[in-house]
Amino acid sequence: MTYEFPTVLDAGPSDDVDPDEFVRAAMRWHFDPATGSRYWLDRADRLAFDPRQDVKGVDDLMLFPDLADELRDVPVADLIPRGYGNDARLLNVFDSGGTTGAPKRVVQLDDWMRHSTEQVDKRLRDHGLPVGAQWLTVAPTGPHLVGDVLRRAAESLGGPGLGIDMDPRWVKKLVAAGRSDEVESYTDHLVEQCRRILLTQDIGVLAATTPLLERFAREDDLLERINGSVQAIIWGGTHMDPDTRHLLGTEVLRPGPRGTAPPGRGVRAASRPSRPCRPRTAAGRRSASPRSPCGGGGRSAGTTVRRA
């Protein structure tokens, strides 16, 4: 038997649903024996409170203990809510970044994917991203959610997508071990792949990490090509400080009339600079960040979409 979702759980960030109401509905769904997953129902017996009774809003989520270590080893099947019944369509299983230890897993069901795609598509269109333009996405794929989000974003806007994969876990290991020469070599490897595509294809949308955008700014041929053909830039994976955003958006990367826009879950982008940038170097361009191409030295992008 399949149970109906509370309507509020289908709400997106632009639907003006009361956050406390959303949390209460989520508690009812995930901790009801008829609809909750095996993991959360088993875990409820070991909580010092009743989620359905005691969690009345966002602030009450602080009642939950830190469950990160538990979630690293949970079987995927135990994360699927019973309320889906036999109709559950598990499309993908994604991992967290693994920055704080072994990765945790997120299951992607069919309805979640459709809802996420609709929200991302709406946000992109609201920001005026070109429809039908060809994309170049430089992002982690495989177990990483961001690559899937960007692929679906290109599809929703009717644009063919070209992609270059990156391995953030390997780069983080190199950074932690102080193997900076190997990090630089890997960055060169990514840049050369991007160069072959950017110089031979008509790319209208570029999606990349902040450190890679900074690295592109050091390559005159790529800079000329991006400023000449790219209409929008999507960035994510790490924090971009206001000074860097201002510098890239006003003095270095100037993609068409539309500027940059945030695509959705897990990715951020600048809309307009918010603070003056620092003076440029004597060479006329501020040096790029020494961080890794995957953002190993910066803050991971969260799951909340916000205008930068």
Side-chain angles (χ1 to χ4, degrees), residues 15 22 27 51 58-59 112 124 135 138 141-142 146 149 174 183 205 233 246 248 261 263 274 292 297 300-301 305:
D15 292 335
F22 186 93
M27 294 300 104
V58 174
D59 291 343
W112 184 92
L124 290 174
W135 286 47
V138 193
T141 56
V146 63
V149 169
L174 294 178
V183 173
V205 178
I233 293 176
H246 180 90
L248 291 178
S274 58
S292 76
S300 297
V305 180

PDB file of all heavy atoms in Angstrom, residues 15 22 27 51 58-59 112 124 135 138 141-142 146 149 174 183 205 233 246 248 261 263 274 292 297 300-301 305:
ATOM      1  N   ASP A  15       7.706  28.522  -2.358  1.00  0.00           N
ATOM      2  CA  ASP A  15       6.270  28.296  -2.185  1.00  0.00           C
ATOM      3  C   ASP A  15       5.692  28.912  -0.910  1.00  0.00           C
ATOM      4  O   ASP A  15       4.516  28.708  -0.604  1.00  0.00           O
ATOM      5  CB  ASP A  15       5.969  26.795  -2.191  1.00  0.00           C
ATOM      6  CG  ASP A  15       6.214  26.176  -3.558  1.00  0.00           C
ATOM      7  OD1 ASP A  15       6.138  26.918  -4.553  1.00  0.00           O
ATOM      8  OD2 ASP A  15       6.478  24.962  -3.634  1.00  0.00           O
ATOM      9  N   PHE A  22       6.317  22.815   7.888  1.00  0.00           N
ATOM     10  CA  PHE A  22       7.043  21.829   7.088  1.00  0.00           C
ATOM     11  C   PHE A  22       7.726  20.803   7.989  1.00  0.00           C
ATOM     12  O   PHE A  22       7.655  19.588   7.755  1.00  0.00           O
ATOM     13  CB  PHE A  22       8.073  22.534   6.218  1.00  0.00           C
ATOM     14  CG  PHE A  22       8.783  21.634   5.246  1.00  0.00           C
ATOM     15  CD1 PHE A  22       8.309  21.474   3.959  1.00  0.00           C
ATOM     16  CD2 PHE A  22       9.922  20.948   5.626  1.00  0.00           C
ATOM     17  CE1 PHE A  22       8.952  20.635   3.054  1.00  0.00           C
ATOM     18  CE2 PHE A  22      10.576  20.102   4.739  1.00  0.00           C
ATOM     19  CZ  PHE A  22      10.099  19.948   3.443  1.00  0.00           C
ATOM     20  N   MET A  27       8.167  15.332  10.467  1.00  0.00           N
ATOM     21  CA  MET A  27       8.232  14.459  11.648  1.00  0.00           C
ATOM     22  C   MET A  27       7.112  13.426  11.618  1.00  0.00           C
ATOM     23  O   MET A  27       7.324  12.244  11.944  1.00  0.00           O
ATOM     24  CB  MET A  27       8.143  15.295  12.931  1.00  0.00           C
ATOM     25  CG  MET A  27       9.325  16.223  13.188  1.00  0.00           C
ATOM     26  SD  MET A  27      10.926  15.388  13.346  1.00  0.00           S
ATOM     27  CE  MET A  27      11.647  15.786  11.731  1.00  0.00           C
ATOM     28  N   PRO A  51       9.649  12.574  18.464  1.00  0.00           N
ATOM     29  CA  PRO A  51       9.704  13.575  17.381  1.00  0.00           C
ATOM     30  C   PRO A  51       8.330  14.061  16.945  1.00  0.00           C
ATOM     31  O   PRO A  51       8.162  15.242  16.607  1.00  0.00           O
ATOM     32  CB  PRO A  51      10.416  12.825  16.253  1.00  0.00           C
ATOM     33  CG  PRO A  51      11.229  11.777  16.948  1.00  0.00           C
ATOM     34  CD  PRO A  51      10.395  11.354  18.117  1.00  0.00           C
ATOM     35  N   VAL A  58      11.282  24.404  13.609  1.00  0.00           N
ATOM     36  CA  VAL A  58      12.697  24.345  13.245  1.00  0.00           C
ATOM     37  C   VAL A  58      13.590  24.339  14.480  1.00  0.00           C
ATOM     38  O   VAL A  58      14.552  23.556  14.569  1.00  0.00           O
ATOM     39  CB  VAL A  58      13.059  25.537  12.327  1.00  0.00           C
ATOM     40  CG1 VAL A  58      14.557  25.561  12.055  1.00  0.00           C
ATOM     41  CG2 VAL A  58      12.277  25.461  11.018  1.00  0.00           C
ATOM     42  N   ASP A  59      13.303  25.173  15.453  1.00  0.00           N
ATOM     43  CA  ASP A  59      14.167  25.276  16.626  1.00  0.00           C
ATOM     44  C   ASP A  59      14.257  23.955  17.382  1.00  0.00           C
ATOM     45  O   ASP A  59      15.293  23.641  17.990  1.00  0.00           O
ATOM     46  CB  ASP A  59      13.665  26.373  17.564  1.00  0.00           C
ATOM     47  CG  ASP A  59      13.850  27.768  16.984  1.00  0.00           C
ATOM     48  OD1 ASP A  59      14.639  27.904  16.022  1.00  0.00           O
ATOM     49  OD2 ASP A  59      13.199  28.710  17.478  1.00  0.00           O
ATOM     50  N   TRP A 112      11.300  12.805  -5.730  1.00  0.00           N
ATOM     51  CA  TRP A 112      12.270  13.799  -5.238  1.00  0.00           C
ATOM     52  C   TRP A 112      13.039  14.395  -6.421  1.00  0.00           C
ATOM     53  O   TRP A 112      13.252  15.604  -6.489  1.00  0.00           O
ATOM     54  CB  TRP A 112      13.236  13.124  -4.266  1.00  0.00           C
ATOM     55  CG  TRP A 112      14.215  14.052  -3.612  1.00  0.00           C
ATOM     56  CD1 TRP A 112      14.075  14.695  -2.434  1.00  0.00           C
ATOM     57  CD2 TRP A 112      15.506  14.438  -4.135  1.00  0.00           C
ATOM     58  NE1 TRP A 112      15.199  15.463  -2.177  1.00  0.00           N
ATOM     59  CE2 TRP A 112      16.081  15.325  -3.197  1.00  0.00           C
ATOM     60  CE3 TRP A 112      16.217  14.123  -5.283  1.00  0.00           C
ATOM     61  CZ2 TRP A 112      17.333  15.888  -3.388  1.00  0.00           C
ATOM     62  CZ3 TRP A 112      17.470  14.703  -5.473  1.00  0.00           C
ATOM     63  CH2 TRP A 112      18.022  15.565  -4.527  1.00  0.00           C
ATOM     64  N   LEU A 124      16.611  28.865 -12.457  1.00  0.00           N
ATOM     65  CA  LEU A 124      17.461  29.243 -13.583  1.00  0.00           C
ATOM     66  C   LEU A 124      16.737  30.186 -14.542  1.00  0.00           C
ATOM     67  O   LEU A 124      17.299  31.175 -15.013  1.00  0.00           O
ATOM     68  CB  LEU A 124      17.912  27.991 -14.331  1.00  0.00           C
ATOM     69  CG  LEU A 124      18.911  27.080 -13.614  1.00  0.00           C
ATOM     70  CD1 LEU A 124      19.131  25.814 -14.428  1.00  0.00           C
ATOM     71  CD2 LEU A 124      20.229  27.786 -13.373  1.00  0.00           C
ATOM     72  N   TRP A 135      26.103  23.640 -22.667  1.00  0.00           N
ATOM     73  CA  TRP A 135      26.747  23.762 -21.355  1.00  0.00           C
ATOM     74  C   TRP A 135      28.101  23.060 -21.348  1.00  0.00           C
ATOM     75  O   TRP A 135      28.294  22.030 -22.003  1.00  0.00           O
ATOM     76  CB  TRP A 135      25.895  23.106 -20.281  1.00  0.00           C
ATOM     77  CG  TRP A 135      24.661  23.843 -19.868  1.00  0.00           C
ATOM     78  CD1 TRP A 135      23.710  24.411 -20.680  1.00  0.00           C
ATOM     79  CD2 TRP A 135      24.221  24.056 -18.520  1.00  0.00           C
ATOM     80  NE1 TRP A 135      22.709  24.974 -19.929  1.00  0.00           N
ATOM     81  CE2 TRP A 135      22.985  24.764 -18.594  1.00  0.00           C
ATOM     82  CE3 TRP A 135      24.710  23.717 -17.271  1.00  0.00           C
ATOM     83  CZ2 TRP A 135      22.267  25.136 -17.465  1.00  0.00           C
ATOM     84  CZ3 TRP A 135      24.012  24.079 -16.141  1.00  0.00           C
ATOM     85  CH2 TRP A 135      22.799  24.791 -16.244  1.00  0.00           C
ATOM     86  N   VAL A 138      32.098  21.398 -15.239  1.00  0.00           N
ATOM     87  CA  VAL A 138      33.306  20.817 -14.664  1.00  0.00           C
ATOM     88  C   VAL A 138      32.990  20.569 -13.193  1.00  0.00           C
ATOM     89  O   VAL A 138      33.038  21.486 -12.364  1.00  0.00           O
ATOM     90  CB  VAL A 138      34.520  21.757 -14.808  1.00  0.00           C
ATOM     91  CG1 VAL A 138      35.805  20.999 -14.491  1.00  0.00           C
ATOM     92  CG2 VAL A 138      34.574  22.363 -16.193  1.00  0.00           C
ATOM     93  N   THR A 141      31.182  13.897 -10.559  1.00  0.00           N
ATOM     94  CA  THR A 141      30.038  13.079 -10.918  1.00  0.00           C
ATOM     95  C   THR A 141      30.079  11.802 -10.079  1.00  0.00           C
ATOM     96  O   THR A 141      30.521  11.832  -8.952  1.00  0.00           O
ATOM     97  CB  THR A 141      30.052  12.768 -12.428  1.00  0.00           C
ATOM     98  OG1 THR A 141      31.293  12.136 -12.778  1.00  0.00           O
ATOM     99  CG2 THR A 141      29.917  14.044 -13.237  1.00  0.00           C
ATOM    100  N   GLY A 142      29.605  10.704 -10.633  1.00  0.00           N
ATOM    101  CA  GLY A 142      29.611   9.460  -9.871  1.00  0.00           C
ATOM    102  C   GLY A 142      28.742   9.553  -8.632  1.00  0.00           C
ATOM    103  O   GLY A 142      27.536   9.814  -8.734  1.00  0.00           O
ATOM    104  N   VAL A 146      26.106  16.923  -7.037  1.00  0.00           N
ATOM    105  CA  VAL A 146      26.193  18.160  -7.813  1.00  0.00           C
ATOM    106  C   VAL A 146      26.267  17.885  -9.310  1.00  0.00           C
ATOM    107  O   VAL A 146      25.667  18.602 -10.124  1.00  0.00           O
ATOM    108  CB  VAL A 146      27.396  19.019  -7.349  1.00  0.00           C
ATOM    109  CG1 VAL A 146      28.717  18.305  -7.587  1.00  0.00           C
ATOM    110  CG2 VAL A 146      27.393  20.371  -8.054  1.00  0.00           C
ATOM    111  N   VAL A 149      22.777  17.168 -10.552  1.00  0.00           N
ATOM    112  CA  VAL A 149      21.953  18.380 -10.555  1.00  0.00           C
ATOM    113  C   VAL A 149      22.248  19.228 -11.779  1.00  0.00           C
ATOM    114  O   VAL A 149      21.330  19.711 -12.463  1.00  0.00           O
ATOM    115  CB  VAL A 149      22.200  19.194  -9.266  1.00  0.00           C
ATOM    116  CG1 VAL A 149      21.568  20.578  -9.379  1.00  0.00           C
ATOM    117  CG2 VAL A 149      21.639  18.467  -8.052  1.00  0.00           C
ATOM    118  N   LEU A 174      45.515  14.764  -1.489  1.00  0.00           N
ATOM    119  CA  LEU A 174      46.768  15.392  -1.901  1.00  0.00           C
ATOM    120  C   LEU A 174      47.036  16.660  -1.096  1.00  0.00           C
ATOM    121  O   LEU A 174      48.167  16.906  -0.654  1.00  0.00           O
ATOM    122  CB  LEU A 174      46.718  15.736  -3.394  1.00  0.00           C
ATOM    123  CG  LEU A 174      46.643  14.568  -4.379  1.00  0.00           C
ATOM    124  CD1 LEU A 174      46.540  15.094  -5.806  1.00  0.00           C
ATOM    125  CD2 LEU A 174      47.848  13.647  -4.238  1.00  0.00           C
ATOM    126  N   VAL A 183      48.758  18.450  -6.875  1.00  0.00           N
ATOM    127  CA  VAL A 183      47.517  19.219  -6.998  1.00  0.00           C
ATOM    128  C   VAL A 183      47.595  20.127  -8.217  1.00  0.00           C
ATOM    129  O   VAL A 183      46.643  20.230  -9.004  1.00  0.00           O
ATOM    130  CB  VAL A 183      47.260  20.058  -5.726  1.00  0.00           C
ATOM    131  CG1 VAL A 183      46.060  20.979  -5.928  1.00  0.00           C
ATOM    132  CG2 VAL A 183      47.040  19.155  -4.526  1.00  0.00           C
ATOM    133  N   VAL A 205      26.868  28.254 -21.436  1.00  0.00           N
ATOM    134  CA  VAL A 205      26.799  28.230 -19.981  1.00  0.00           C
ATOM    135  C   VAL A 205      27.991  27.439 -19.459  1.00  0.00           C
ATOM    136  O   VAL A 205      28.233  26.309 -19.888  1.00  0.00           O
ATOM    137  CB  VAL A 205      25.488  27.582 -19.473  1.00  0.00           C
ATOM    138  CG1 VAL A 205      25.473  27.539 -17.951  1.00  0.00           C
ATOM    139  CG2 VAL A 205      24.272  28.340 -19.995  1.00  0.00           C
ATOM    140  N   ILE A 233      27.590  32.063 -16.099  1.00  0.00           N
ATOM    141  CA  ILE A 233      28.535  31.237 -15.347  1.00  0.00           C
ATOM    142  C   ILE A 233      27.875  30.804 -14.047  1.00  0.00           C
ATOM    143  O   ILE A 233      27.307  31.631 -13.322  1.00  0.00           O
ATOM    144  CB  ILE A 233      29.840  32.007 -15.051  1.00  0.00           C
ATOM    145  CG1 ILE A 233      30.594  32.286 -16.344  1.00  0.00           C
ATOM    146  CG2 ILE A 233      30.718  31.213 -14.076  1.00  0.00           C
ATOM    147  CD1 ILE A 233      31.838  33.133 -16.155  1.00  0.00           C
ATOM    148  N   HIS A 246      33.438  40.181  -6.812  1.00  0.00           N
ATOM    149  CA  HIS A 246      33.453  41.475  -7.483  1.00  0.00           C
ATOM    150  C   HIS A 246      34.516  41.491  -8.584  1.00  0.00           C
ATOM    151  O   HIS A 246      34.260  41.946  -9.704  1.00  0.00           O
ATOM    152  CB  HIS A 246      33.739  42.573  -6.457  1.00  0.00           C
ATOM    153  CG  HIS A 246      33.777  43.955  -7.062  1.00  0.00           C
ATOM    154  ND1 HIS A 246      32.660  44.754  -7.167  1.00  0.00           N
ATOM    155  CD2 HIS A 246      34.808  44.666  -7.604  1.00  0.00           C
ATOM    156  CE1 HIS A 246      32.993  45.892  -7.738  1.00  0.00           C
ATOM    157  NE2 HIS A 246      34.288  45.864  -8.014  1.00  0.00           N
ATOM    158  N   LEU A 248      35.990  38.925 -10.227  1.00  0.00           N
ATOM    159  CA  LEU A 248      35.681  38.047 -11.347  1.00  0.00           C
ATOM    160  C   LEU A 248      34.504  38.575 -12.163  1.00  0.00           C
ATOM    161  O   LEU A 248      34.499  38.494 -13.392  1.00  0.00           O
ATOM    162  CB  LEU A 248      35.373  36.636 -10.839  1.00  0.00           C
ATOM    163  CG  LEU A 248      36.540  35.848 -10.242  1.00  0.00           C
ATOM    164  CD1 LEU A 248      36.065  34.491  -9.746  1.00  0.00           C
ATOM    165  CD2 LEU A 248      37.671  35.670 -11.254  1.00  0.00           C
ATOM    166  N   ALA A 261      24.210  33.054 -12.278  1.00  0.00           N
ATOM    167  CA  ALA A 261      22.970  32.684 -11.604  1.00  0.00           C
ATOM    168  C   ALA A 261      23.122  31.377 -10.871  1.00  0.00           C
ATOM    169  O   ALA A 261      23.873  30.506 -11.298  1.00  0.00           O
ATOM    170  CB  ALA A 261      21.836  32.575 -12.613  1.00  0.00           C
ATOM    171  N   PRO A 263      22.093  27.698  -9.799  1.00  0.00           N
ATOM    172  CA  PRO A 263      21.266  26.681 -10.399  1.00  0.00           C
ATOM    173  C   PRO A 263      20.377  25.941  -9.422  1.00  0.00           C
ATOM    174  O   PRO A 263      19.368  25.407  -9.797  1.00  0.00           O
ATOM    175  CB  PRO A 263      22.287  25.713 -10.996  1.00  0.00           C
ATOM    176  CG  PRO A 263      23.428  25.811 -10.077  1.00  0.00           C
ATOM    177  CD  PRO A 263      23.476  27.255  -9.640  1.00  0.00           C
ATOM    178  N   SER A 274      28.932  42.754  -4.283  1.00  0.00           N
ATOM    179  CA  SER A 274      28.379  43.445  -3.129  1.00  0.00           C
ATOM    180  C   SER A 274      29.384  44.357  -2.433  1.00  0.00           C
ATOM    181  O   SER A 274      29.004  45.196  -1.647  1.00  0.00           O
ATOM    182  CB  SER A 274      27.862  42.411  -2.114  1.00  0.00           C
ATOM    183  OG  SER A 274      28.905  41.538  -1.725  1.00  0.00           O
ATOM    184  N   SER A 292      42.802  23.998  -4.034  1.00  0.00           N
ATOM    185  CA  SER A 292      42.697  22.955  -5.037  1.00  0.00           C
ATOM    186  C   SER A 292      41.599  23.278  -6.038  1.00  0.00           C
ATOM    187  O   SER A 292      40.714  24.067  -5.763  1.00  0.00           O
ATOM    188  CB  SER A 292      42.376  21.624  -4.355  1.00  0.00           C
ATOM    189  OG  SER A 292      41.021  21.590  -3.971  1.00  0.00           O
ATOM    190  N   GLY A 297      40.366  23.562  -0.196  1.00  0.00           N
ATOM    191  CA  GLY A 297      40.734  24.494   0.842  1.00  0.00           C
ATOM    192  C   GLY A 297      39.622  25.414   1.254  1.00  0.00           C
ATOM    193  O   GLY A 297      39.795  26.278   2.088  1.00  0.00           O
ATOM    194  N   SER A 300      32.534  23.719   1.677  1.00  0.00           N
ATOM    195  CA  SER A 300      31.669  22.991   0.757  1.00  0.00           C
ATOM    196  C   SER A 300      30.352  23.740   0.611  1.00  0.00           C
ATOM    197  O   SER A 300      29.834  24.311   1.554  1.00  0.00           O
ATOM    198  CB  SER A 300      31.406  21.578   1.283  1.00  0.00           C
ATOM    199  OG  SER A 300      32.603  20.865   1.342  1.00  0.00           O
ATOM    200  N   ALA A 301      29.815  23.700  -0.592  1.00  0.00           N
ATOM    201  CA  ALA A 301      28.503  24.310  -0.807  1.00  0.00           C
ATOM    202  C   ALA A 301      27.451  23.514  -0.094  1.00  0.00           C
ATOM    203  O   ALA A 301      27.443  22.301  -0.131  1.00  0.00           O
ATOM    204  CB  ALA A 301      28.213  24.361  -2.306  1.00  0.00           C
ATOM    205  N   VAL A 305      19.772  26.815  -1.287  1.00  0.00           N
ATOM    206  CA  VAL A 305      20.014  27.778  -2.356  1.00  0.00           C
ATOM    207  C   VAL A 305      19.855  29.167  -1.801  1.00  0.00           C
ATOM    208  O   VAL A 305      18.908  29.462  -1.065  1.00  0.00           O
ATOM    209  CB  VAL A 305      18.986  27.574  -3.483  1.00  0.00           C
ATOM    210  CG1 VAL A 305      19.231  28.579  -4.593  1.00  0.00           C
ATOM    211  CG2 VAL A 305      19.062  26.155  -4.017  1.00  0.00           C
TER     212      VAL A 305
END
